[in-house]
Amino acid sequence: MIIIKIPSKKMNIYQRGTCLPLLEVNLTNLIFTAIIPRIKIKLNTSHQSTGWFGLLFGMVHGLVLIFDNTESLSLLEVFVPFASSSHRVSMGIGILALYSLLLLILTSDMMKVV
């Protein structure tokens, strides 16, 4: 049973911002539980493939910077957050995002094994 709570008018803008995505997730879950199992399996497979391709493209994006002529970086600067000599903050956040994506994908795939 899925309980849907509509945010009241007394909530401020920040509370509405955190409540509405949860409402969307609940509605999406309600819609996808009614889908035919074959289509649900195909959707799950395409969802997993999209995550792995996103990780692959993120890694290729970082590794291309090693061979770039305008912004030549070392392996250390590409894989260690906040170690680059230029664009330190933005590259550090990107590297941390890549590691977070890797951790998310690996742990979600391990959940299926355990």
Side-chain angles (χ1 to χ4, degrees), residues 15-29:
Q15 292 170 331
R16 286 184 191 165
T18 57
C19 187
L20 288 178
L22 295 176
L23 175 65
E24 292 173 12
V25 168
N26 284 337
L27 291 177
T28 306
N29 189 16

Side-chain angles (χ1 to χ4, degrees), residues 64-73 85-87:
V64 164
L65 292 175
I66 295 172
F67 304 107
D68 189 15
N69 291 334
T70 58
E71 188 83 29
S72 183
L73 299 173
S85 56
S86 64
H87 306 290

